[in-house]
Amino acid sequence: PTRRKSLLTMGCRNCIDVLIIVLQSYFLWSCIAIERHYCHQPLSADSTGILKTTYEYAIENNRLFASRPDYMVMATCISAYGLGTLYALVLLAFTFKWNWIRMIAILLVGAKAYALGFYHLMEFTSDTPPENLLAYWGPEFPYILSLVLLLARTLPGPPFQAVTQQVKPTKED
């Protein structure tokens, strides 16, 4: 019987794993370089480097983020320290092929999907909803892609094949 081939069975498993590693690295970097700072103090025109770029982006495309309501600051702190820890675990697990990460990855997908849903609900029901949807959704796409990839790698079962030793037949077999 012929079996339908999916991306995972056509040798793209390693490609997906590398993409997951790259995405988790980006998210972790964002938690450390941007969200952690936003959590403790406002971004401003006087900020430097990526913080200044983030401030300029927020003023232009994400005014609710720029205005820093308390609930946005709290959500960002939870992301920076809570989700950041999970990003680091998933990054390490996919780097070193640790199967125990499966349930943690599935929980991360659920937590991040909830966070994204709530975040976008806040954004689009605020007094300052995003006007330029392409600019707004551009930075959000990697998070959505990551959720899909993590589910594809963890829902069917352990993401990594166990290393098994081949038993060599003896002369008696």
Side-chain angles (χ1 to χ4, degrees):
T2 61
R3 287 195 298 186
R4 227 178 189 178
K5 291 192 175 197
S6 71
L7 284 177
L8 294 177
T9 59
M10 291 180 359
C12 290
R13 184 171 290 196
N14 288 335
C15 301
I16 292 172
D17 290 354
V18 168
L19 188 52
I20 287 171
I21 290 167
V22 168
L23 289 170
Q24 300 308 304
S25 299
Y26 165 68
F27 303 152
L28 186 58
W29 171 82
S30 179
C31 286
I32 294 167
I34 300 168
E35 293 179 359
R36 187 174 55 90
H37 293 282
Y38 179 90
C39 181
H40 298 289
Q41 63 190 18
L43 304 179
S44 70
D46 297 331
S47 297
T48 59
I50 191 63
L51 297 176
K52 182 177 179 107
T53 303
T54 302
Y55 171 78
E56 291 168 352
Y57 168 83
I59 292 297
E60 185 70 29
N61 298 299
N62 193 339
R63 293 175 298 178
L64 182 63
F65 187 80
S67 70
R68 290 188 94 241
D70 288 341
Y71 61 86
M72 185 67 73
V73 173
M74 284 187 269
T76 303
C77 291
I78 291 168
S79 177
Y81 295 105
L83 293 177
T85 302
L86 294 176
Y87 297 145
L89 282 174
V90 171
L91 167 65
L92 289 170
F94 272 79
T95 300
F96 296 107
K97 302 199 179 314
W98 296 333
N99 274 325
W100 58 262
I101 198 64
R102 180 172 182 245
M103 287 314 274
I104 293 171
I106 292 170
L107 290 172
L108 172 61
V109 168
K112 189 61 183 180
Y114 179 79
L116 285 172
F118 188 65
Y119 178 78
H120 297 304
L121 179 67
M122 289 187 296
E123 285 284 350
F124 286 98
T125 59
S126 74
D127 293 336
T128 57
E131 294 175 7
N132 183 344
L133 295 181
L134 276 178
Y136 174 80
W137 284 106
E140 300 301 319
F141 176 74
Y143 292 100
I144 296 165
L145 175 62
S146 174
L147 299 181
V148 171
L149 294 176
L150 280 173
L151 284 177
R153 289 294 282 121
T154 58
L155 269 185
F160 310 108
Q161 292 180 351
V163 178
T164 58
Q165 292 184 341
Q166 296 276 347
V167 177
K168 292 183 181 181
T170 62
K171 290 182 180 180
E172 297 168 356
D173 290 339

